[in-house]
Amino acid sequence: MIAISRGMDANVDVLVVGAGPVGLLLATELVRDGVKALSIDAMTGRTFFSKALGITPRTLEIFDDLGVLHDAIDRGVWIEGVSAFANGEFAGGMDIPEELPFGSLSLAQYETERVLERGLQRHGGRVHYGWALTDFRETADCVEAALTGPGGETRSVACRWLVGCDGAHSRVRSSLGVAFEGGRYPQTFTLADLEVEWDLPHNRMYRFNLGEPGQPGGRILAAVPVYSPTGKRFRLSTVIPEVAGMNEQEFPAPSLAEVIELMSPLLPAGTKLSSLHWSSVYRVSHRIAAEYSRGRAFLAGDAAHIHPPVGGQGMNTGLQDAHNLAWKLSLAARGLAAPSLLETYEEERRPVGLDVVENTSRAMAEVLDQRHALPGLRETQLLIAYRDSSIVCDERGDTAPDAPVVAGDRAPDAGPLQRCRVAQPFRLHELTGKGRHLLLGYFAETATGDFALLLDVLNELPPDFTSSYAILAQGGAASLDNRVPCFVDVAGKFAAEYGATPGMAWLIRPDGHVGWCSTRPTVTGLREYLRRIVAI
């Protein structure tokens, strides 16, 4: 791929440094929302030598919002469960619960990048490859960035905000002087992407232990399926015992013969390894940035946190960083954001990053000691919430924690919802997101005049800020009156998921989290909440 500067604007709203999955998702959401964003990456083209694989159910919900879900599913492998073996014997396992909104998808990082870049292009955006950030400085009203192109040419760009999605060795983070706190594990790992012939199904993850838990000399190997026409491709990873604690740069990527020699003792008898696509030697770190933002600059993804790959949390956490930041930058770029809205990115996302680093570090210690438990609901990332955030408000007060959904929680999907004169039922998540807030009201039979007053408040804001719907209880009848668009909760699932009672209202943020909830919503209450996020 030849890097060119044609079409590179010198003045933009947001400069996104790094076009891995995190940078691509951020740029896509910004461009979709009409924000002038410039995406650059120092590499001159894509590579398939990438480690990240797992896509969590929560990230798949984000892909659904972006319109890239089916493209991702088509190139992935649904993981039906996890099976563990100890010293050649089956030692237990678990199946992925079927009641989740999505299953767990194994999708190679290069495929994730392809899917997201195509999404960016559909919205009119593009990546400027071969362009690296060399320096930047913040002025009173912008960031002045110096870029170097693939041929050594230089260019200056003025942006209102700069986002470092440029990985663990982030130039943005180091230029800001933000500490990257944590450490590195002494073990050296090897990874091999190859064809595996055995009697085990392709749609499961596997863990193989050799030795006794907690005893010296034990070894562990993980196997994750990768999409391929053969249905036999896996990614295997294990510790290299004889070089543990040494610098991985001293060792070349292992050959197929070396992979077979190292890994075969842990695999079921008769397993054949072939067609090595690529391999690598690497070390694992656990670090988190002391700050996620400083002035007009932000950090996301590996630039803000790195941690053990246990549970496949790394790339997904970064993608959700971008999803949280995008709608806030979008409001700020349009002059709609409340003065402190951008500060809530660090307030909401750094605790999540810290929690992931701490928990994966504990899990890593258990893995190395062969005591690691099987993944659970936590790893779906559906439970991440912002209940303590300064920009969420639940007017139910002390009774809110007993409700199924509390302000700050991820808004669960619900359906079927039926609209008048439309045969096909809808899901709630078809109505949420797309860069907009969603106001929902719940009523026994028909929407009341009080809900119309809430809509009048929203009508004072730009038309692309929000959408609004009334949800009628099971047995209600949707009206043809489009002044208050409504759906019928035909199976009662919305009421069950949300603990809904007639008259309740919710405002769901663009990132799919509940921002505001009230059992007795008023114009005053909605206005007071909106002042937390919008300059009104």
Side-chain angles (χ1 to χ4, degrees), residues 122-157:
R122 281 197 293 269
H123 290 290
R126 55 165 295 194
V127 177
H128 293 266
Y129 289 102
W131 286 87
L133 176 73
T134 54
D135 194 16
F136 66 90
R137 70 182 187 94
E138 184 173 335
T139 67
D141 55 2
C142 74
V143 176
E144 296 177 349
L147 311 182
T148 301
E153 64 271 40
T154 60
R155 185 146 189 182
S156 296
V157 170

PDB file of all heavy atoms in Angstrom, residues 122-157:
ATOM      1  N   ARG A 122     -16.798   3.492   4.294  1.00  0.00           N
ATOM      2  CA  ARG A 122     -18.211   3.673   3.926  1.00  0.00           C
ATOM      3  C   ARG A 122     -18.744   5.022   4.392  1.00  0.00           C
ATOM      4  O   ARG A 122     -19.678   5.564   3.803  1.00  0.00           O
ATOM      5  CB  ARG A 122     -19.056   2.540   4.498  1.00  0.00           C
ATOM      6  CG  ARG A 122     -18.968   1.250   3.704  1.00  0.00           C
ATOM      7  CD  ARG A 122     -20.105   0.301   4.054  1.00  0.00           C
ATOM      8  NE  ARG A 122     -20.017  -0.190   5.423  1.00  0.00           N
ATOM      9  CZ  ARG A 122     -19.381  -1.294   5.776  1.00  0.00           C
ATOM     10  NH1 ARG A 122     -18.751  -2.020   4.849  1.00  0.00           N
ATOM     11  NH2 ARG A 122     -19.362  -1.689   7.024  1.00  0.00           N
ATOM     12  N   HIS A 123     -18.168   5.546   5.457  1.00  0.00           N
ATOM     13  CA  HIS A 123     -18.601   6.852   5.962  1.00  0.00           C
ATOM     14  C   HIS A 123     -17.776   7.996   5.380  1.00  0.00           C
ATOM     15  O   HIS A 123     -17.911   9.151   5.817  1.00  0.00           O
ATOM     16  CB  HIS A 123     -18.516   6.878   7.492  1.00  0.00           C
ATOM     17  CG  HIS A 123     -19.549   6.015   8.158  1.00  0.00           C
ATOM     18  ND1 HIS A 123     -20.887   6.329   8.165  1.00  0.00           N
ATOM     19  CD2 HIS A 123     -19.442   4.828   8.823  1.00  0.00           C
ATOM     20  CE1 HIS A 123     -21.561   5.392   8.817  1.00  0.00           C
ATOM     21  NE2 HIS A 123     -20.709   4.475   9.220  1.00  0.00           N
ATOM     22  N   GLY A 124     -16.926   7.683   4.414  1.00  0.00           N
ATOM     23  CA  GLY A 124     -16.152   8.728   3.747  1.00  0.00           C
ATOM     24  C   GLY A 124     -14.794   9.007   4.352  1.00  0.00           C
ATOM     25  O   GLY A 124     -14.120   9.958   3.937  1.00  0.00           O
ATOM     26  N   GLY A 125     -14.370   8.206   5.330  1.00  0.00           N
ATOM     27  CA  GLY A 125     -13.065   8.404   5.950  1.00  0.00           C
ATOM     28  C   GLY A 125     -11.999   7.534   5.326  1.00  0.00           C
ATOM     29  O   GLY A 125     -12.280   6.661   4.500  1.00  0.00           O
ATOM     30  N   ARG A 126     -10.755   7.759   5.715  1.00  0.00           N
ATOM     31  CA  ARG A 126      -9.643   6.960   5.222  1.00  0.00           C
ATOM     32  C   ARG A 126      -8.475   7.086   6.195  1.00  0.00           C
ATOM     33  O   ARG A 126      -8.439   7.995   7.038  1.00  0.00           O
ATOM     34  CB  ARG A 126      -9.190   7.410   3.843  1.00  0.00           C
ATOM     35  CG  ARG A 126      -8.824   8.881   3.767  1.00  0.00           C
ATOM     36  CD  ARG A 126      -8.052   9.218   2.513  1.00  0.00           C
ATOM     37  NE  ARG A 126      -6.764   8.559   2.487  1.00  0.00           N
ATOM     38  CZ  ARG A 126      -5.784   8.892   1.646  1.00  0.00           C
ATOM     39  NH1 ARG A 126      -5.978   9.867   0.767  1.00  0.00           N
ATOM     40  NH2 ARG A 126      -4.639   8.264   1.678  1.00  0.00           N
ATOM     41  N   VAL A 127      -7.527   6.171   6.087  1.00  0.00           N
ATOM     42  CA  VAL A 127      -6.309   6.210   6.886  1.00  0.00           C
ATOM     43  C   VAL A 127      -5.169   6.714   6.010  1.00  0.00           C
ATOM     44  O   VAL A 127      -5.012   6.268   4.867  1.00  0.00           O
ATOM     45  CB  VAL A 127      -5.951   4.805   7.430  1.00  0.00           C
ATOM     46  CG1 VAL A 127      -4.636   4.862   8.208  1.00  0.00           C
ATOM     47  CG2 VAL A 127      -7.076   4.274   8.313  1.00  0.00           C
ATOM     48  N   HIS A 128      -4.368   7.621   6.531  1.00  0.00           N
ATOM     49  CA  HIS A 128      -3.174   8.099   5.838  1.00  0.00           C
ATOM     50  C   HIS A 128      -1.993   7.281   6.348  1.00  0.00           C
ATOM     51  O   HIS A 128      -1.456   7.541   7.434  1.00  0.00           O
ATOM     52  CB  HIS A 128      -2.972   9.591   6.089  1.00  0.00           C
ATOM     53  CG  HIS A 128      -4.049  10.442   5.475  1.00  0.00           C
ATOM     54  ND1 HIS A 128      -3.933  11.020   4.223  1.00  0.00           N
ATOM     55  CD2 HIS A 128      -5.285  10.784   5.919  1.00  0.00           C
ATOM     56  CE1 HIS A 128      -5.037  11.683   3.931  1.00  0.00           C
ATOM     57  NE2 HIS A 128      -5.864  11.556   4.963  1.00  0.00           N
ATOM     58  N   TYR A 129      -1.629   6.277   5.576  1.00  0.00           N
ATOM     59  CA  TYR A 129      -0.557   5.372   5.972  1.00  0.00           C
ATOM     60  C   TYR A 129       0.815   5.995   5.716  1.00  0.00           C
ATOM     61  O   TYR A 129       0.996   6.807   4.802  1.00  0.00           O
ATOM     62  CB  TYR A 129      -0.666   4.054   5.209  1.00  0.00           C
ATOM     63  CG  TYR A 129      -1.831   3.204   5.641  1.00  0.00           C
ATOM     64  CD1 TYR A 129      -2.997   3.148   4.878  1.00  0.00           C
ATOM     65  CD2 TYR A 129      -1.773   2.461   6.808  1.00  0.00           C
ATOM     66  CE1 TYR A 129      -4.068   2.371   5.271  1.00  0.00           C
ATOM     67  CE2 TYR A 129      -2.850   1.683   7.210  1.00  0.00           C
ATOM     68  CZ  TYR A 129      -3.983   1.635   6.435  1.00  0.00           C
ATOM     69  OH  TYR A 129      -5.043   0.864   6.840  1.00  0.00           O
ATOM     70  N   GLY A 130       1.781   5.583   6.535  1.00  0.00           N
ATOM     71  CA  GLY A 130       3.142   6.059   6.379  1.00  0.00           C
ATOM     72  C   GLY A 130       3.407   7.401   7.031  1.00  0.00           C
ATOM     73  O   GLY A 130       4.525   7.914   6.966  1.00  0.00           O
ATOM     74  N   TRP A 131       2.401   7.964   7.677  1.00  0.00           N
ATOM     75  CA  TRP A 131       2.557   9.258   8.345  1.00  0.00           C
ATOM     76  C   TRP A 131       2.649   9.051   9.855  1.00  0.00           C
ATOM     77  O   TRP A 131       1.787   8.439  10.464  1.00  0.00           O
ATOM     78  CB  TRP A 131       1.389  10.183   8.018  1.00  0.00           C
ATOM     79  CG  TRP A 131       1.480  10.697   6.619  1.00  0.00           C
ATOM     80  CD1 TRP A 131       1.005  10.105   5.491  1.00  0.00           C
ATOM     81  CD2 TRP A 131       2.133  11.894   6.210  1.00  0.00           C
ATOM     82  NE1 TRP A 131       1.318  10.848   4.386  1.00  0.00           N
ATOM     83  CE2 TRP A 131       2.006  11.966   4.791  1.00  0.00           C
ATOM     84  CE3 TRP A 131       2.810  12.913   6.870  1.00  0.00           C
ATOM     85  CZ2 TRP A 131       2.537  13.013   4.051  1.00  0.00           C
ATOM     86  CZ3 TRP A 131       3.329  13.963   6.139  1.00  0.00           C
ATOM     87  CH2 TRP A 131       3.199  14.015   4.741  1.00  0.00           C
ATOM     88  N   ALA A 132       3.719   9.572  10.437  1.00  0.00           N
ATOM     89  CA  ALA A 132       3.980   9.408  11.865  1.00  0.00           C
ATOM     90  C   ALA A 132       3.930  10.755  12.580  1.00  0.00           C
ATOM     91  O   ALA A 132       4.329  11.788  12.024  1.00  0.00           O
ATOM     92  CB  ALA A 132       5.348   8.764  12.079  1.00  0.00           C
ATOM     93  N   LEU A 133       3.438  10.731  13.798  1.00  0.00           N
ATOM     94  CA  LEU A 133       3.484  11.916  14.654  1.00  0.00           C
ATOM     95  C   LEU A 133       4.899  12.056  15.199  1.00  0.00           C
ATOM     96  O   LEU A 133       5.430  11.134  15.819  1.00  0.00           O
ATOM     97  CB  LEU A 133       2.495  11.763  15.807  1.00  0.00           C
ATOM     98  CG  LEU A 133       2.489  12.887  16.848  1.00  0.00           C
ATOM     99  CD1 LEU A 133       1.844  14.140  16.274  1.00  0.00           C
ATOM    100  CD2 LEU A 133       1.759  12.441  18.109  1.00  0.00           C
ATOM    101  N   THR A 134       5.529  13.192  14.962  1.00  0.00           N
ATOM    102  CA  THR A 134       6.889  13.404  15.465  1.00  0.00           C
ATOM    103  C   THR A 134       6.929  14.349  16.660  1.00  0.00           C
ATOM    104  O   THR A 134       7.815  14.241  17.509  1.00  0.00           O
ATOM    105  CB  THR A 134       7.798  13.958  14.352  1.00  0.00           C
ATOM    106  OG1 THR A 134       7.199  15.139  13.783  1.00  0.00           O
ATOM    107  CG2 THR A 134       7.978  12.903  13.256  1.00  0.00           C
ATOM    108  N   ASP A 135       5.960  15.246  16.736  1.00  0.00           N
ATOM    109  CA  ASP A 135       5.952  16.193  17.853  1.00  0.00           C
ATOM    110  C   ASP A 135       4.590  16.889  17.879  1.00  0.00           C
ATOM    111  O   ASP A 135       3.868  16.897  16.881  1.00  0.00           O
ATOM    112  CB  ASP A 135       7.070  17.226  17.692  1.00  0.00           C
ATOM    113  CG  ASP A 135       7.325  18.018  18.968  1.00  0.00           C
ATOM    114  OD1 ASP A 135       6.857  17.567  20.046  1.00  0.00           O
ATOM    115  OD2 ASP A 135       7.974  19.071  18.909  1.00  0.00           O
ATOM    116  N   PHE A 136       4.238  17.442  19.024  1.00  0.00           N
ATOM    117  CA  PHE A 136       3.030  18.256  19.107  1.00  0.00           C
ATOM    118  C   PHE A 136       3.125  19.181  20.306  1.00  0.00           C
ATOM    119  O   PHE A 136       3.865  18.923  21.263  1.00  0.00           O
ATOM    120  CB  PHE A 136       1.767  17.391  19.190  1.00  0.00           C
ATOM    121  CG  PHE A 136       1.634  16.572  20.454  1.00  0.00           C
ATOM    122  CD1 PHE A 136       0.986  17.070  21.581  1.00  0.00           C
ATOM    123  CD2 PHE A 136       2.158  15.284  20.518  1.00  0.00           C
ATOM    124  CE1 PHE A 136       0.865  16.311  22.732  1.00  0.00           C
ATOM    125  CE2 PHE A 136       2.042  14.522  21.669  1.00  0.00           C
ATOM    126  CZ  PHE A 136       1.396  15.030  22.777  1.00  0.00           C
ATOM    127  N   ARG A 137       2.389  20.260  20.244  1.00  0.00           N
ATOM    128  CA  ARG A 137       2.316  21.185  21.386  1.00  0.00           C
ATOM    129  C   ARG A 137       0.921  21.770  21.436  1.00  0.00           C
ATOM    130  O   ARG A 137       0.263  21.979  20.411  1.00  0.00           O
ATOM    131  CB  ARG A 137       3.367  22.292  21.270  1.00  0.00           C
ATOM    132  CG  ARG A 137       3.116  23.308  20.182  1.00  0.00           C
ATOM    133  CD  ARG A 137       4.241  24.332  20.120  1.00  0.00           C
ATOM    134  NE  ARG A 137       3.929  25.411  19.181  1.00  0.00           N
ATOM    135  CZ  ARG A 137       3.357  26.566  19.535  1.00  0.00           C
ATOM    136  NH1 ARG A 137       3.038  26.773  20.821  1.00  0.00           N
ATOM    137  NH2 ARG A 137       3.091  27.496  18.650  1.00  0.00           N
ATOM    138  N   GLU A 138       0.459  22.011  22.649  1.00  0.00           N
ATOM    139  CA  GLU A 138      -0.876  22.550  22.845  1.00  0.00           C
ATOM    140  C   GLU A 138      -0.813  24.060  22.970  1.00  0.00           C
ATOM    141  O   GLU A 138       0.025  24.605  23.693  1.00  0.00           O
ATOM    142  CB  GLU A 138      -1.516  21.940  24.092  1.00  0.00           C
ATOM    143  CG  GLU A 138      -2.952  22.380  24.312  1.00  0.00           C
ATOM    144  CD  GLU A 138      -3.638  21.642  25.450  1.00  0.00           C
ATOM    145  OE1 GLU A 138      -3.219  20.499  25.753  1.00  0.00           O
ATOM    146  OE2 GLU A 138      -4.593  22.195  26.019  1.00  0.00           O
ATOM    147  N   THR A 139      -1.699  24.736  22.259  1.00  0.00           N
ATOM    148  CA  THR A 139      -1.829  26.185  22.368  1.00  0.00           C
ATOM    149  C   THR A 139      -3.126  26.499  23.105  1.00  0.00           C
ATOM    150  O   THR A 139      -3.776  25.605  23.648  1.00  0.00           O
ATOM    151  CB  THR A 139      -1.833  26.830  20.971  1.00  0.00           C
ATOM    152  OG1 THR A 139      -3.030  26.442  20.277  1.00  0.00           O
ATOM    153  CG2 THR A 139      -0.615  26.389  20.157  1.00  0.00           C
ATOM    154  N   ALA A 140      -3.522  27.747  23.085  1.00  0.00           N
ATOM    155  CA  ALA A 140      -4.720  28.144  23.819  1.00  0.00           C
ATOM    156  C   ALA A 140      -5.981  27.498  23.273  1.00  0.00           C
ATOM    157  O   ALA A 140      -6.903  27.177  24.030  1.00  0.00           O
ATOM    158  CB  ALA A 140      -4.863  29.666  23.785  1.00  0.00           C
ATOM    159  N   ASP A 141      -6.028  27.277  21.961  1.00  0.00           N
ATOM    160  CA  ASP A 141      -7.273  26.767  21.384  1.00  0.00           C
ATOM    161  C   ASP A 141      -7.108  25.561  20.470  1.00  0.00           C
ATOM    162  O   ASP A 141      -8.069  25.139  19.830  1.00  0.00           O
ATOM    163  CB  ASP A 141      -7.985  27.882  20.609  1.00  0.00           C
ATOM    164  CG  ASP A 141      -7.087  28.508  19.545  1.00  0.00           C
ATOM    165  OD1 ASP A 141      -5.933  28.049  19.381  1.00  0.00           O
ATOM    166  OD2 ASP A 141      -7.545  29.451  18.885  1.00  0.00           O
ATOM    167  N   CYS A 142      -5.905  24.975  20.405  1.00  0.00           N
ATOM    168  CA  CYS A 142      -5.738  23.803  19.552  1.00  0.00           C
ATOM    169  C   CYS A 142      -4.449  23.067  19.912  1.00  0.00           C
ATOM    170  O   CYS A 142      -3.707  23.482  20.803  1.00  0.00           O
ATOM    171  CB  CYS A 142      -5.717  24.198  18.071  1.00  0.00           C
ATOM    172  SG  CYS A 142      -4.190  24.997  17.526  1.00  0.00           S
ATOM    173  N   VAL A 143      -4.206  21.971  19.206  1.00  0.00           N
ATOM    174  CA  VAL A 143      -2.948  21.248  19.294  1.00  0.00           C
ATOM    175  C   VAL A 143      -2.276  21.347  17.933  1.00  0.00           C
ATOM    176  O   VAL A 143      -2.891  21.055  16.900  1.00  0.00           O
ATOM    177  CB  VAL A 143      -3.166  19.760  19.652  1.00  0.00           C
ATOM    178  CG1 VAL A 143      -1.840  18.995  19.631  1.00  0.00           C
ATOM    179  CG2 VAL A 143      -3.824  19.634  21.018  1.00  0.00           C
ATOM    180  N   GLU A 144      -1.032  21.773  17.919  1.00  0.00           N
ATOM    181  CA  GLU A 144      -0.267  21.842  16.683  1.00  0.00           C
ATOM    182  C   GLU A 144       0.615  20.603  16.608  1.00  0.00           C
ATOM    183  O   GLU A 144       1.468  20.387  17.462  1.00  0.00           O
ATOM    184  CB  GLU A 144       0.575  23.111  16.642  1.00  0.00           C
ATOM    185  CG  GLU A 144      -0.267  24.386  16.618  1.00  0.00           C
ATOM    186  CD  GLU A 144       0.583  25.642  16.644  1.00  0.00           C
ATOM    187  OE1 GLU A 144       1.809  25.526  16.888  1.00  0.00           O
ATOM    188  OE2 GLU A 144       0.035  26.740  16.427  1.00  0.00           O
ATOM    189  N   ALA A 145       0.380  19.786  15.590  1.00  0.00           N
ATOM    190  CA  ALA A 145       1.076  18.513  15.450  1.00  0.00           C
ATOM    191  C   ALA A 145       1.995  18.533  14.238  1.00  0.00           C
ATOM    192  O   ALA A 145       1.614  19.010  13.164  1.00  0.00           O
ATOM    193  CB  ALA A 145       0.074  17.375  15.319  1.00  0.00           C
ATOM    194  N   ALA A 146       3.191  17.977  14.417  1.00  0.00           N
ATOM    195  CA  ALA A 146       4.151  17.837  13.323  1.00  0.00           C
ATOM    196  C   ALA A 146       4.163  16.383  12.876  1.00  0.00           C
ATOM    197  O   ALA A 146       4.348  15.482  13.693  1.00  0.00           O
ATOM    198  CB  ALA A 146       5.541  18.272  13.775  1.00  0.00           C
ATOM    199  N   LEU A 147       3.979  16.170  11.580  1.00  0.00           N
ATOM    200  CA  LEU A 147       3.928  14.825  11.016  1.00  0.00           C
ATOM    201  C   LEU A 147       5.063  14.631  10.021  1.00  0.00           C
ATOM    202  O   LEU A 147       5.484  15.573   9.349  1.00  0.00           O
ATOM    203  CB  LEU A 147       2.595  14.580  10.306  1.00  0.00           C
ATOM    204  CG  LEU A 147       1.300  14.925  11.049  1.00  0.00           C
ATOM    205  CD1 LEU A 147       0.100  14.560  10.191  1.00  0.00           C
ATOM    206  CD2 LEU A 147       1.243  14.224  12.388  1.00  0.00           C
ATOM    207  N   THR A 148       5.542  13.390   9.931  1.00  0.00           N
ATOM    208  CA  THR A 148       6.545  13.021   8.943  1.00  0.00           C
ATOM    209  C   THR A 148       5.980  11.925   8.057  1.00  0.00           C
ATOM    210  O   THR A 148       5.436  10.937   8.551  1.00  0.00           O
ATOM    211  CB  THR A 148       7.830  12.526   9.613  1.00  0.00           C
ATOM    212  OG1 THR A 148       8.353  13.560  10.449  1.00  0.00           O
ATOM    213  CG2 THR A 148       8.883  12.150   8.572  1.00  0.00           C
ATOM    214  N   GLY A 149       6.115  12.091   6.739  1.00  0.00           N
ATOM    215  CA  GLY A 149       5.554  11.157   5.784  1.00  0.00           C
ATOM    216  C   GLY A 149       6.502  10.040   5.411  1.00  0.00           C
ATOM    217  O   GLY A 149       7.656   9.991   5.871  1.00  0.00           O
ATOM    218  N   PRO A 150       6.059   9.140   4.562  1.00  0.00           N
ATOM    219  CA  PRO A 150       6.860   7.960   4.209  1.00  0.00           C
ATOM    220  C   PRO A 150       8.145   8.284   3.471  1.00  0.00           C
ATOM    221  O   PRO A 150       9.102   7.514   3.505  1.00  0.00           O
ATOM    222  CB  PRO A 150       5.902   7.145   3.328  1.00  0.00           C
ATOM    223  CG  PRO A 150       4.918   8.138   2.812  1.00  0.00           C
ATOM    224  CD  PRO A 150       4.748   9.143   3.893  1.00  0.00           C
ATOM    225  N   GLY A 151       8.175   9.430   2.789  1.00  0.00           N
ATOM    226  CA  GLY A 151       9.389   9.822   2.075  1.00  0.00           C
ATOM    227  C   GLY A 151      10.227  10.830   2.831  1.00  0.00           C
ATOM    228  O   GLY A 151      11.153  11.420   2.269  1.00  0.00           O
ATOM    229  N   GLY A 152       9.899  11.041   4.113  1.00  0.00           N
ATOM    230  CA  GLY A 152      10.637  12.007   4.917  1.00  0.00           C
ATOM    231  C   GLY A 152      10.074  13.410   4.865  1.00  0.00           C
ATOM    232  O   GLY A 152      10.571  14.310   5.540  1.00  0.00           O
ATOM    233  N   GLU A 153       9.026  13.608   4.070  1.00  0.00           N
ATOM    234  CA  GLU A 153       8.395  14.918   3.995  1.00  0.00           C
ATOM    235  C   GLU A 153       7.708  15.258   5.318  1.00  0.00           C
ATOM    236  O   GLU A 153       7.331  14.357   6.064  1.00  0.00           O
ATOM    237  CB  GLU A 153       7.410  14.994   2.831  1.00  0.00           C
ATOM    238  CG  GLU A 153       6.222  14.050   2.937  1.00  0.00           C
ATOM    239  CD  GLU A 153       6.459  12.690   2.342  1.00  0.00           C
ATOM    240  OE1 GLU A 153       7.571  12.147   2.506  1.00  0.00           O
ATOM    241  OE2 GLU A 153       5.509  12.142   1.736  1.00  0.00           O
ATOM    242  N   THR A 154       7.540  16.522   5.590  1.00  0.00           N
ATOM    243  CA  THR A 154       6.929  16.956   6.847  1.00  0.00           C
ATOM    244  C   THR A 154       5.660  17.742   6.562  1.00  0.00           C
ATOM    245  O   THR A 154       5.482  18.315   5.484  1.00  0.00           O
ATOM    246  CB  THR A 154       7.889  17.819   7.671  1.00  0.00           C
ATOM    247  OG1 THR A 154       8.255  18.982   6.915  1.00  0.00           O
ATOM    248  CG2 THR A 154       9.141  17.024   8.027  1.00  0.00           C
ATOM    249  N   ARG A 155       4.808  17.749   7.566  1.00  0.00           N
ATOM    250  CA  ARG A 155       3.542  18.464   7.429  1.00  0.00           C
ATOM    251  C   ARG A 155       3.061  18.871   8.810  1.00  0.00           C
ATOM    252  O   ARG A 155       3.256  18.130   9.789  1.00  0.00           O
ATOM    253  CB  ARG A 155       2.509  17.585   6.747  1.00  0.00           C
ATOM    254  CG  ARG A 155       1.203  18.310   6.472  1.00  0.00           C
ATOM    255  CD  ARG A 155       0.588  17.837   5.208  1.00  0.00           C
ATOM    256  NE  ARG A 155      -0.552  18.672   4.849  1.00  0.00           N
ATOM    257  CZ  ARG A 155      -1.303  18.459   3.795  1.00  0.00           C
ATOM    258  NH1 ARG A 155      -1.026  17.451   2.989  1.00  0.00           N
ATOM    259  NH2 ARG A 155      -2.326  19.243   3.525  1.00  0.00           N
ATOM    260  N   SER A 156       2.418  20.014   8.904  1.00  0.00           N
ATOM    261  CA  SER A 156       1.845  20.484  10.163  1.00  0.00           C
ATOM    262  C   SER A 156       0.328  20.382  10.100  1.00  0.00           C
ATOM    263  O   SER A 156      -0.280  20.682   9.068  1.00  0.00           O
ATOM    264  CB  SER A 156       2.254  21.938  10.437  1.00  0.00           C
ATOM    265  OG  SER A 156       3.649  22.041  10.612  1.00  0.00           O
ATOM    266  N   VAL A 157      -0.249  19.943  11.201  1.00  0.00           N
ATOM    267  CA  VAL A 157      -1.699  19.820  11.301  1.00  0.00           C
ATOM    268  C   VAL A 157      -2.145  20.474  12.596  1.00  0.00           C
ATOM    269  O   VAL A 157      -1.544  20.248  13.655  1.00  0.00           O
ATOM    270  CB  VAL A 157      -2.147  18.340  11.280  1.00  0.00           C
ATOM    271  CG1 VAL A 157      -3.625  18.217  11.619  1.00  0.00           C
ATOM    272  CG2 VAL A 157      -1.861  17.710   9.925  1.00  0.00           C
TER     273      VAL A 157
END
